[in-house]
Amino acid sequence: MAEWINVKDIADGAKFYAGAAIRIMPTPCGLEEGNFIPENGLVYLISDNASDKSYFNCVCLSAGEEGNVICRLERKGNYVLGSEIKRMFESELQEAFISKSIEIAVI
């Protein structure tokens, strides 16, 4: 199982690579505002962007949203900085968590 770290707690200079996972959970405020995020959250995978090597894609792995790209993260070489993840995901409507890697089971 992945160990999730609140995005607020990561250092701006922390490096995250393709394969890292981001879990988005709605806040009570987000649910009141009709946020699109379901109560059990959504999981996204940081993956390469084949058409633009300046960015990574954040691709949804959660059922019903799988394959959707929520955003593009600016790359610094072969990683993305914690400051970029914070910029894209910190919000009063959602809470974001990151894992350095995720286990994917193929059934």
Side-chain angles (χ1 to χ4, degrees):
M1 282 310 269
E3 181 181 332
W4 299 100
I5 303 163
N6 195 309
V7 166
K8 295 175 190 169
D9 297 330
I10 62 173
D12 287 347
K15 297 175 182 177
F16 295 92
Y17 299 86
I22 298 172
R23 170 170 249 141
I24 308 295
M25 300 295 292
T27 61
C29 178
L31 291 172
E32 287 176 18
E33 294 289 325
N35 196 340
F36 72 94
I37 302 167
E39 282 190 58
N40 59 344
L42 296 171
V43 175
Y44 291 86
L45 185 72
I46 296 175
S47 66
D48 278 325
N49 182 328
S51 63
D52 188 346
K53 294 298 181 186
S54 300
Y55 294 92
F56 285 115
N57 288 333
C58 282
V59 180
C60 192
L61 299 178
S62 298
E65 297 290 329
E66 59 267 45
N68 289 339
V69 176
I70 192 172
C71 69
R72 297 183 331 149
L73 298 167
E74 187 175 352
R75 292 173 74 139
K76 299 289 185 194
N78 64 342
Y79 59 87
V80 61
L81 290 173
S83 57
E84 175 72 354
I85 292 169
K86 288 179 181 181
R87 184 180 76 81
M88 294 303 283
F89 289 101
E90 283 188 332
S91 166
E92 64 182 35
L93 301 179
Q94 67 190 25
E95 195 162 19
F97 301 87
I98 190 158
S99 174
K100 290 190 177 193
S101 65
I102 188 168
E103 295 178 20
I104 300 173
V106 178
I107 299 173

